[in-house]
Amino acid sequence: MSANDLAQLAHEVDARCRLQGSFTLRSGQVSNEYFDKYLFESDPALLRQVAQAMAELIPADTDLLGGLELGGVPLATVLSQLTGIPALFVRKQAKSYGTRRLAEGGDPTARTVTLVEDVITTGGAVISAARALRELGATVTTAVCAIDRSPSGVSSLAAEGVAVQSVLTKALLDAAAKTT
C-alpha cells in the first residue's frame, strides 16, 4: 500500500471512528474524545479496505488466521475470504460448556498461527492468546493488527517473541485528524 493510500485510509478510519463528546474510559477517566473501532469493523466497505491492507502483512508461512475475541473475529473472517487462509477464533478464555475450547474453527496443533487483532495498545490480549495457543502446540510469532496504539518504541510483545505488523498507528490517525 502506498503512503498516499495509507494516509487516505487513516483519514477514512479516523473520520468514521473518532467521536467527540463525554466518554468514560476503561480506566475510569473521562475524555472528550473516543475512538470507536467497531464503527470501521461494522462498515463493510471500510472493513474490506482495512483487511486488504492487513492481507499484505500476513507472513507467507501462515496456516491459520487467529482472530482474537471480539474485534479480531470480523477481521480474521474477511482476511480468510481475501487470502484463502482458514480462520481460527480465539476466545479470551475457554468456554465452560460444549466443546470447552479456547480456539474455535480448527486445530492449531503443529500449525503456524498469525494472530489478528483490531487494536493493540498494551498487547495484553495478544500475549495471552499467543501463550494459550503455544500451549496447544501452535507456533505463534506474528500479530497483524489494524491499529497499533502502543507508545512508540514500547512493545511487550517483542519480549514474548511476537512481532507486530500494523496497518495504522495512533500517530497516523492523529495526523489524519489534523488535516480534517
Side-chain angles (χ1 to χ4, degrees), residues 99-122:
T99 62
R100 298 181 181 200
R101 291 186 185 141
L102 173 83
E104 301 283 356
D107 184 2
T109 305
R111 315 262 324 257
T112 299
V113 178
T114 294
L115 297 177
V116 177
E117 182 65 303
D118 53 0
V119 178
I120 293 176
T121 303
T122 64

Side-chain angles (χ1 to χ4, degrees), residues 1 6 9 50 53-54 57 144-147 165-169 172:
M1 178 172 264
L6 194 58
L9 181 59
V50 170
M54 291 176 77
L57 304 175
V144 176
C145 71
I147 301 166
Q165 301 293 325
S166 59
V167 173
L168 301 171
T169 63
L172 252 170

